[in-house]
Structures are given as C-alpha cells and as structure tokens.
C-alpha cells in the first residue's frame, strides 16, 4: 500500500493534517521534555553517584551535543528509509536507553546512555518541521508552526514540573522512565500516520564529515569542561582543543567541496538565514541554559525541593505555550522582526532580574519573572522558524530545517557548558562558600541576559531584507 503524504491524506481525509501535526508535536515534546526533566534530578544524581557539577552537567550537555549531531542524520535518514521507519527506529533506541538507565550503577553509564538518547532525539525534530511545511503547503503554515511550537516550548517547562514531583516521590530514576508511556503511544500512532517515502538509492551518508563534526563538538565541550579541573595550558586541555580545531578544519574543507553535504554551509550565504542563525544560537542558550540554571538555583540557593522547583516553572510553561501559539498566529499578520525583538528583550529582562534580585525574592516573584522570560522564548520560536526557512527553496527546506535546529541545539550544548564554567569559576574566585555560590549564580544570570541583548542586533537587521522569490531549482 502506498504511504506517501498524498495517499495518506486521501485515506484519512481533511483531519489527516491535524492528526499528523499532533503526532509530530507529541514526538518532539517528549524528546525536549527528556532533555530538560533531567535538570531537576541533577542534585539527586550527584548525591547518588558522588558526581561534581562539572561532571554532572554532561548529563545535559552530552544529550544536547549528541542531539546536535543527530540532526545531521535527519535529512539522509528520511531520504534513505522514509519518515516512518526513521522515527520508529529513533524512538526504539530512545526507549531501550531509558530502560537501561534504570539499571545503571556508575555515573559514566548514565552519561553514555544520555548521549545515545540525544542522538535519537536529534534525528526526529527536523523531520517534524519538514513534514509540517509540506503538509501545510496550501496554507495555515504559520498557525501550524505556532501549534507545533506550543508543544515544543511547553515541554522544557513541563518537564521539570512533572519530573520534580516524581523525583521527590520516586527518586532520580523517574526522570528516565517518565517519557516511556508517550514513546509507546508514538510508535503505534506513527505506524499509521507517518509517510513512508524511502528511497534505497538515496545519496550516501558522508561518514567522514559526520564523524569529524561530532568529534569537534564533543572535543570542544570536553576542552571547556576539563579546563575547570586543570589549567587552560594543561596538555589534556590543549590536546582536546587541538582535536577540535583539526576536526573542524577537515569538516569545513570537505563540506565546502561537497555537492551533497550533511550540513549545507552555503545556506549561510543568505543574509536572512545568517542573521536568523544568531537568534537561534541565543534561543538555544536561553532555553536550555535557563532550564538548567533555574532548578539548580532554586534547590541550591533558595532551598526548594525538586518538586517545588518544578512547580515554579509550570505557570511559565503555560504562558510560554500561549505566547508561542500567539506568535505563530501573528507571523501571518505582522513583521517577524517585532516578534523576535520583543521575545529577546523579555527574556533578557527576566535573566537580569534573576541576577539582581533573585536570591532575595519570594516564590511568587521568582515564578512571575520566570514566566516573563518564557513568554519571550515563546514569541521567538515560530517567528524564528519562519524567518530562517522562508528564504529557502523547496529543495533546501530539509537542509535548512536541520541547520537552524542544529544551531539552536549547539547554542544549548555550549551554552550550558560555558555557563557551568563561569558559575564554577565565580564560585571559587569569590571564596567557595555559600555567599560566593549565591553571587556566582547572580552573575551567571546577568551574563545570560546580556547574551540575549546582543542577539537583538541581528534580529533587528532582519527588517531590511526583502521577501525572496522562491524557486524549486
């Protein structure tokens, strides 16, 4: 039986687009939820496995780094195996790793399993964006992206809320079995609703480019992380930095000379895509960096439990979703630049407020200001998808969707890594006691807010770009 989008649409009727959007949103939600729910479990995991913060942060950054690399496999896997088989296999690997994590006895085992989970999650997200663009080609694309962004943006806040409650009652393992029921539902629904348009004769995967870029990402993260333990001039840090440079050089040289690269660097010749990428980098830093920092801050400085830290982010998650939906609706009606700039400013205000008054504020104010920041992120997501992909041809869409998500995840991985380095450096340089820890968190939040203010410049420059005339070739 033929299972392309046209035949599936004819089979299921007018509601097919709605059902497919629901499956895609749920799949992306559970992947993002898993990437953030671990944050409220970090203190418990650190106690269980006697891990310090520099090592424990790999549970978050390792997932995001692998997710970033997995994005590069999405276009190839979709062309080679089709969307249905690709999604089913990715979710299957994710489920197996979640089950294996429940039997882990060492911290490094959890880190390895999180890396494998991240790789499987990275393959799924770009496929969802591409399918939404294709199935809503006749209209309503902005609204569909808004609904999709609703789930994608709520997940980082709902994850710590639900995860925090479960961790308080069932321990850190609940962060790993939390996504399992949804994964099983997705495997069944995806079997019926996802198209199967694989081409066995599709282009071959550029394995060398994939391996070198993955090595460059992990070596770069490791170099920054190891610099916390040793001096910057230590041979171990130098070796990792050298691996990063060499692998990056090989990747760029090979990719620029390739006719079918795994990451199309030529997309950055377009001014709109280049400027949108800076916003995507800041979005990744803010979304994942704040979701990492806030639960740690609340449990370490304010003394809240994992459950209370998660509850504080719940209203923020609801408002984030509403803002994302509104942004998708507004994308079809006003200039995208206003949505981007408003979102960036709101998040910057929230982060700087946490840095100045967070330690002396009560639960209600912490909740309100976190909600302001999440509203800002919600405004950015659909507008960013439209700004980055609207200048591309139909043939470039799969690569553009993967590239912009790649940049966002890269911002999240290196953002958490650099924020942790800055936090640890400030903590030790200020004396290493509780007062130093408080001031270190305050300064880290301020740095996060300033990074978002810097992203206002490339976002504002998007207003000068004319709407391109699309061609398919």
């Amino acid at each position: 039986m033929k299972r392309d989008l046209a035949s599936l649409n004819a089979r299921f009727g007018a509601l097919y687009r709605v059902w497919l959007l629901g499956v895609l949103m749920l799949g992306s939600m559970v992947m993002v939820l898993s990437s953030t729910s671990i944050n409220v479990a970090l203190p418990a995991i650190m106690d269980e496995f006697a891990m310090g913060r520099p090592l424990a942060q790999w549970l978050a950054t390792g997932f995001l780094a692998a997710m970033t690399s997995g994005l590069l496999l999405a276009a190839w896997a979709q062309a080679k195996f089709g969307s249905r088989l690709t999604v089913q296999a990715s979710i299957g690997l994710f489920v197996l790793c979640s089950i294996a994590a429940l039997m882990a006895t060492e911290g490094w085992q959890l880190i390895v399993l999180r890396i494998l989970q991240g790789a499987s999650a990275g393959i799924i997200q770009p496929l969802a964006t591409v399918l939404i663009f294709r199935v809503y080609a006749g209209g309503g694309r902005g609204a569909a992206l808004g609904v999709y962004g609703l789930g994608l943006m709520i997940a980082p806040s709902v994850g710590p809320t639900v995860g925090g409650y479960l961790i308080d009652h069932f321990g850190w393992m609940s962060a790993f079995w939390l996504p399992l029921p949804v994964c099983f539902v997705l495997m069944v629904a995806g079997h019926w609703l996802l198209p199967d348009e694989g081409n066995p004769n599709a282009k071959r995967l550029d394995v060398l480019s994939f391996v070198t870029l993955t090595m460059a990402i992990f070596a770069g993260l490791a170099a920054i992380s190891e610099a916390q333990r040793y001096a910057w001039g230590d041979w171990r840090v130098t070796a990792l930095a050298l691996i990063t440079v060499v692998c990056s050089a090989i990747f760029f040289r090979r990719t620029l000379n390739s006719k079918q690269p795994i990451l199309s660097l030529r997309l950055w010749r377009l001014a709109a895509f280049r400027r949108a990428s800076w916003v995507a980098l800041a979005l990744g830093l803010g979304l994942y960096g704040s979701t990492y920092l806030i639960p740690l801050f609340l449990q370490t400085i304010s003394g809240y439990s994992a459950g209370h830290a998660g509850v504080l982010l719940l209203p923020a998650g609801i408002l984030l979703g509403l803002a994302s939906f509104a942004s998708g609706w507004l994308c079809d009606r006003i200039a995208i630049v206003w949505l981007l700039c408003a979102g960036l400013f709101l998040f910057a205000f929230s982060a700087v407020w946490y840095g100045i008054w967070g330690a002396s504020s009560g639960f209600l104010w912490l909740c309100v200001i976190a909600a302001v920041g999440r509203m800002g992120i919600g405004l950015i997501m659909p507008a960013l998808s439209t700004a980055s992909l609207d200048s591309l041809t139909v043939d470039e869409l799969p690569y553009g969707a993967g590239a912009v998500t790649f940049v966002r995840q890269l911002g999240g991985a290196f953002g958490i890594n650099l924020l942790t380095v800055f936090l640890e450096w400030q903590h030790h340089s200020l004396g290493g006691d509780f007062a130093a820890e408080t001031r270190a968190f305050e300064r880290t939040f301020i740095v996060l807010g300033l990074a978002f203010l810097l992203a206002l410049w490339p976002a504002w420059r998007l207003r000068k770009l004319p709407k391109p005339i699309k061609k398919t070739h």
Side-chain angles (χ1 to χ4, degrees):
M1 181 185 297
K2 195 175 182 182
R3 298 180 61 93
D4 58 17
L5 282 175
S7 61
L8 287 172
N9 191 61
R11 180 181 179 185
F12 290 100
L15 288 178
Y16 173 69
R17 298 196 309 174
V18 178
W19 286 109
L20 181 62
L21 178 61
V23 169
L24 296 174
M25 182 177 71
L26 193 61
S28 296
M29 275 185 69
V30 76
M31 297 299 142
V32 176
L33 183 146
S34 181
S35 71
T36 57
S37 61
I38 195 72
N39 294 323
V40 290
L42 285 179
I45 293 175
M46 290 164 65
D47 290 339
E48 176 74 18
F49 296 99
M51 300 167 65
R53 193 156 49 203
L55 181 60
Q57 57 98 14
W58 275 100
L59 292 166
T61 56
F63 184 99
L64 290 174
M67 195 174 183
T68 305
S69 297
L71 297 171
L72 303 177
L73 298 176
W76 167 80
Q78 182 184 32
K80 183 74 173 178
F81 305 109
S83 299
R84 182 172 65 91
L85 184 57
T86 299
V87 171
Q88 297 285 68
S90 298
I91 293 178
L93 175 60
F94 189 92
V95 168
L96 289 176
C97 292
S98 296
I99 295 172
L102 304 179
M103 299 178 284
T105 57
E106 300 288 341
W108 65 267
Q109 296 172 352
L110 283 182
I111 293 173
V112 170
L113 291 170
R114 287 285 294 172
I115 289 173
L116 292 174
Q117 283 187 325
S120 62
I123 295 175
I124 293 177
Q125 282 198 41
L127 301 185
T129 305
V130 171
L131 286 174
I132 290 172
F133 260 75
R134 290 179 60 194
V135 80
Y136 282 91
R141 186 177 287 170
L145 285 172
V147 173
Y148 176 70
L150 173 68
L152 201 62
M153 294 290 99
I154 283 180
S157 296
V158 173
T161 303
V162 178
Y165 174 83
L166 294 175
I167 289 162
D168 279 350
H169 291 81
F170 303 104
W172 62 267
M173 289 185 178
S174 56
F176 288 91
W177 56 254
L178 172 62
L180 291 179
V182 179
C183 287
F184 290 125
V185 171
L186 286 172
M187 293 185 75
V188 174
H191 175 77
W192 295 102
L193 296 174
L194 290 172
D196 191 5
E197 304 169 310
N199 178 13
N201 299 318
K203 66 168 186 171
R204 295 178 60 186
L205 175 66
D206 188 346
V207 178
L208 180 59
S209 294
F210 175 74
V211 170
T212 53
L213 182 56
T214 301
M215 289 181 63
I217 292 172
F218 276 92
L221 289 169
I224 297 171
S225 180
E226 289 301 293
Q228 298 176 78
R229 299 172 56 193
Y230 312 103
W232 280 99
D234 185 89
W235 68 269
R236 284 157 286 208
V237 178
T238 302
L240 288 168
L242 184 60
I243 292 173
T244 304
V245 172
V246 172
C247 288
S248 298
I250 295 173
F251 168 78
F252 281 112
R253 181 180 178 84
R254 185 174 179 86
T255 301
L256 289 172
N257 294 325
S258 174
K259 294 182 180 179
Q260 295 180 319
I262 60 172
L263 181 64
S264 183
L265 299 178
R266 294 180 177 87
L267 293 173
W268 278 277
R269 293 185 301 179
L270 301 171
F273 193 85
R274 190 167 56 249
R275 293 166 189 173
S277 294
W278 284 111
V279 180
L281 197 69
L283 176 62
L285 169 63
L287 177 61
Y288 294 105
S290 63
T291 309
Y292 171 78
L293 279 178
I294 290 177
L296 278 179
F297 170 77
L298 294 174
Q299 294 179 71
T300 304
I301 304 301
S302 300
Y304 294 116
S305 67
H308 282 93
V311 167
L312 185 142
L313 292 174
L314 182 58
I318 295 172
L319 288 174
L320 183 152
L322 293 174
S324 179
F325 183 80
S327 178
W329 183 80
L330 289 170
C331 279
D332 298 325
R333 291 163 175 81
I334 67 173
I336 292 171
V337 62
W338 297 113
L339 296 171
L340 293 175
C341 290
L344 290 167
F345 178 79
L346 286 175
F347 183 86
F349 170 79
S350 172
V352 172
W353 192 97
Y354 256 81
I356 298 175
W357 294 294
S360 58
S361 299
F363 187 89
L364 179 60
W365 274 111
L366 291 172
C367 184
V368 169
I369 302 303
V372 170
R374 286 299 190 268
M375 287 176 62
I377 290 178
L379 290 176
I380 295 171
M381 184 64 181
L384 179 61
S385 295
T386 305
S388 57
L389 300 182
D390 203 38
S391 60
L392 305 183
T393 66
V394 172
D395 296 333
E396 291 171 333
L397 278 179
Y399 301 97
V404 74
T405 310
F406 172 87
V407 173
R408 188 184 71 222
Q409 299 302 123
L410 196 67
F414 276 91
I416 290 176
N417 194 284
L418 290 169
L419 289 171
T420 302
V421 169
F422 184 81
L423 178 63
E424 290 294 308
W425 169 54
Q426 288 292 297
H427 178 220
H428 291 297
S429 64
L430 292 171
D433 55 9
F434 180 77
E437 182 93 326
T438 302
R439 293 176 63 192
F441 269 103
E442 291 172 346
R443 294 182 181 183
T444 305
F445 276 115
I446 291 174
V447 167
L448 179 59
L450 293 177
F452 257 61
L453 289 177
L454 290 175
L456 279 170
W457 174 241
W460 179 247
R461 294 187 68 197
L462 283 167
R463 78 192 191 282
K464 298 181 179 180
L465 297 174
K467 189 175 181 63
I469 300 175
K470 293 187 178 183
K471 298 177 181 180
T472 57
H473 298 287

